[in-house]
Amino acid sequence: MRTLDLAIVSPHQKFCGRAMDIAASFQFESHVFRSDEDFFTEAESFKGITSVLLDCSFLEKPNEVAGLVQVARQGAPDSYILVVISSKLPPEDARIAKSSGASLVMMENEYFSSCKTEFALSQVIRSAFIPIKTLDLIEGTQLPFALFHLLPMNRRFLKVLKPEARLSKDFLEKYAAAGDLFIPRKDLSAWLEYSNSYRADDEAGLLRQCRAKFLQLNQSFLDLTLLISDQSSGASFAAGREVYELCRKFAYELHGSLINTPDPWKVVASSAVGDFGSVERSPAIAAYAGILSSQNQIGLAEEVMIGALLADIGYLEFSPSTARKVRNNAMGELNAEEQMEYQKHPIYSLNNCLSRRLPLTEAIKDMILMSHERSDQKGFPHRPRADKLTEESMLVRLCWDLDCRTQVRMGEKRPDIDEIKKSLGSALSADSGNFSVGFACKIAKILNSPAPGSLTA
């Protein structure tokens, strides 16, 4: 019996074609079921089903949608179920689908015209595991969850330690060279509890706490992003503000850890996950921005981090073709229409945040809108005069560039962050038009300096 990443349940070829394109793009193990009856009777032939993409777009009555969702939930009680409903149905009908067992509800027009489906499924399937450092495992302790090792040849995860097994010296030495082991994302809370139970004031303890806080920020941001995508909670402004406040809290706590860590750059570079063009990268960009904000007294560090965190959330509005090219770092292949779409994403980002009534300050709004502007007016989307650009927004753009240089796909060797900093610092010194002269000089001085013993808050 094999494990299925994605079960596609739909009688319509167009719907299945879109789903199969997503599965091929992300290399998901997928299978098409032409009816809910087929899915219900055949689901048990698989060892496990990670996610179900359920087509309810042809149903016109909410009780019919609810019934189909309930059948899918009975057939896959532990799966993530993404339901696509007719765009003609009102939001309250979407909420009925959610209460019937759906994990996420999406309108049909969004399914075909945006990349929200790709993002949600990639989080559930490809990002179902998160990396942890072998350095953060304590010899002689027990973990309440399993540990996994990534097999680079087929990008599959092999269980290497069972839950409740004791961490031996031999095990830690064996996997020390691996650098990263992995835990299921669902076990993040248990991992954070484990990390917090072994507090220490030495360097290893500070690094362990810093990495744990980065994971907290990463998870809360992904929760916020999925909430914005969920049509069943369109009127739940309180839920959006609650998750937003968690992001603010974790950004503040992460910043506090970073400024007391000897080399915070390496903490962020070694903890960040996600491919180019993915909203997943935003926590890393935010963390870099928080470091530089403190070192240069540019804006309020927490505000700068939130601005960086939300600046690219508009990626979710990309069409499937634009999203695929951006994700594959094929920016040169964007046609004129796709290029225009890409250059509007800061506007999409701000609109998405405002639609949830997130309590953004004017400074954060400016950072989001101007996160890809340039002092020579060759940026986007509005090309303001150089004197209108804030240093905070230039800092977000710089950290976006820094993150682009540090990215690595899961299982590949990470580039050296110190070399990347020096390279970027040299580029800033020779910069003409990207940033203001004063800003470039300040930042280049920091990037070209050796790693400090500690930062100044």
Side-chain angles (χ1 to χ4, degrees):
M1 296 174 70
R2 66 188 177 107
T3 299
L4 198 60
D5 293 328
L6 177 62
I8 304 162
V9 185
S10 173
H12 299 112
Q13 186 58 44
K14 182 180 178 183
F15 186 98
C16 294
R18 165 93 169 102
M20 292 300 291
D21 284 344
I22 295 173
S25 179
F26 287 94
Q27 298 180 318
F28 295 155
E29 288 283 342
S30 62
H31 184 80
V32 173
F33 301 86
R34 290 298 181 180
S35 69
D36 58 311
E37 292 90 351
D38 288 347
F39 176 71
F40 189 75
T41 57
E42 297 175 27
E44 62 183 20
S45 64
F46 295 93
K47 183 179 179 181
I49 299 176
T50 304
S51 61
V52 179
L53 182 55
L54 181 63
D55 180 11
C56 295
S57 62
F58 55 93
L59 300 176
E60 298 181 355
K61 297 180 180 180
N63 62 319
E64 293 177 332
V65 173
L68 199 57
V69 173
Q70 289 169 358
V71 170
R73 179 54 71 195
Q74 290 172 2
D78 300 321
S79 301
Y80 185 94
I81 300 180
L82 196 163
V83 177
V84 180
I85 65 174
S86 170
S87 301
K88 298 177 182 179
L89 293 177
E92 54 266 27
D93 290 345
R95 287 191 284 278
I96 291 173
K98 185 68 175 287
S99 64
S100 300
S103 305
L104 182 68
V105 180
M106 191 175 298
M107 296 297 186
E108 182 184 14
N109 61 333
E110 288 186 306
Y111 174 70
F112 286 106
S113 65
S114 79
C115 66
K116 291 181 181 180
T117 311
E118 284 90 331
F119 175 74
L121 292 178
S122 68
Q123 293 311 298
V124 174
I125 301 171
R126 200 172 68 173
S127 298
F129 291 84
I130 57 177
I132 63 170
K133 300 297 172 188
T134 52
L135 292 172
D136 295 339
L137 298 170
I138 310 299
E139 182 182 339
T141 61
Q142 291 175 289
L143 297 174
F145 44 79
L147 290 178
F148 293 80
H149 174 62
L150 177 64
L151 300 174
M153 291 295 292
N154 57 10
R155 298 178 64 82
R156 291 291 172 182
F157 291 92
L158 174 69
K159 184 185 292 186
V160 294
L161 192 75
K162 295 180 180 179
E164 306 302 335
R166 194 169 297 277
L167 291 165
S168 67
K169 181 179 180 181
D170 289 344
F171 176 87
L172 294 175
E173 288 179 348
K174 178 180 178 180
Y175 287 100
D180 289 346
L181 289 173
F182 294 83
I183 63 171
R185 187 178 290 276
K186 64 181 178 62
D187 291 325
L188 175 60
S189 295
W191 167 251
L192 294 174
E193 184 178 344
Y194 172 85
S195 296
N196 290 330
S197 65
Y198 294 98
R199 289 184 175 273
D201 293 330
D202 58 9
E203 183 174 340
L206 291 173
L207 291 173
R208 186 184 308 120
Q209 291 303 308
C210 205
R211 284 190 282 264
K213 292 182 185 302
F214 183 88
L215 288 176
Q216 278 185 308
L217 176 62
N218 190 75
Q219 185 59 51
S220 64
F221 171 69
L222 294 180
D223 289 343
L224 179 62
T225 306
L226 287 171
L227 180 66
I228 288 175
S229 304
D230 193 343
Q231 294 298 313
S232 66
S233 54
S236 183
F237 303 118
R241 286 193 293 272
E242 182 179 346
V243 181
Y244 173 75
E245 290 302 325
L246 274 180
C247 286
R248 286 184 54 187
K249 175 180 181 290
F250 293 145
Y252 177 81
E253 292 179 355
L254 173 60
H255 176 254
S257 289
L258 287 171
I259 63 176
N260 290 304
T261 301
D263 192 354
W265 301 96
K266 288 187 177 178
V267 173
V268 180
S270 64
S271 301
V273 295
D275 296 333
F276 183 91
S278 166
V279 183
E280 289 176 88
R281 301 302 309 184
S282 296
I285 298 171
Y288 289 136
I291 296 170
L292 286 172
S293 172
S294 290
Q295 291 183 321
N296 290 277
Q297 287 77 52
I298 294 176
L300 300 173
E302 181 188 332
E303 278 197 334
V304 172
M305 291 179 73
I306 293 299
L309 203 63
L310 300 175
D312 287 333
I313 209 167
Y315 278 2
L316 297 182
E317 303 297 332
F318 287 162
S319 65
S321 63
T322 301
R324 183 174 58 254
K325 292 173 184 178
V326 172
R327 188 172 60 250
N328 292 328
N329 200 12
M331 307 299 289
E333 297 179 13
L334 295 173
N335 61 35
E337 183 177 348
E338 292 166 339
Q339 185 71 29
M340 185 179 299
E341 184 183 348
Y342 174 73
Q343 293 187 355
K344 286 183 178 179
H345 84 259
I347 300 174
Y348 301 155
S349 297
L350 182 58
N351 288 344
N352 275 329
C353 294
L354 296 180
S355 71
R356 285 286 173 176
R357 300 182 185 174
L358 302 185
L360 306 182
T361 65
E362 291 303 315
I364 292 175
K365 292 177 186 177
D366 286 343
M367 278 182 261
I368 294 173
L369 271 182
M370 296 193 289
S371 57
H372 290 276
E373 300 286 7
R374 294 168 51 103
S375 61
D376 59 7
Q377 296 184 285
K378 293 182 180 179
F380 57 85
H382 294 135
R383 299 178 176 83
R385 297 197 319 262
D387 62 319
K388 297 293 184 180
L389 291 182
T390 65
E391 286 198 327
E392 293 96 322
S393 63
M394 285 189 280
L395 186 58
V396 172
R397 172 169 170 74
L398 175 99
C399 292
W400 179 87
D401 190 7
L402 174 63
D403 181 68
C404 286
R405 297 170 185 236
T406 63
Q407 285 171 31
V408 59
R409 296 184 187 276
M410 189 178 289
E412 296 179 358
K413 183 180 179 180
R414 295 185 183 274
D416 185 88
I417 183 64
D418 290 331
E419 292 300 320
I420 291 170
K421 283 172 54 188
K422 291 177 183 178
S423 173
L424 184 56
S426 298
L428 277 173
S429 300
D431 179 82
S432 59
N434 205 347
F435 305 100
S436 70
V437 174
F439 175 84
C441 289
K442 278 198 297 187
I443 298 295
K445 183 178 179 181
I446 293 293
L447 294 177
N448 288 325
S449 63
S454 63
L455 303 179
T456 302

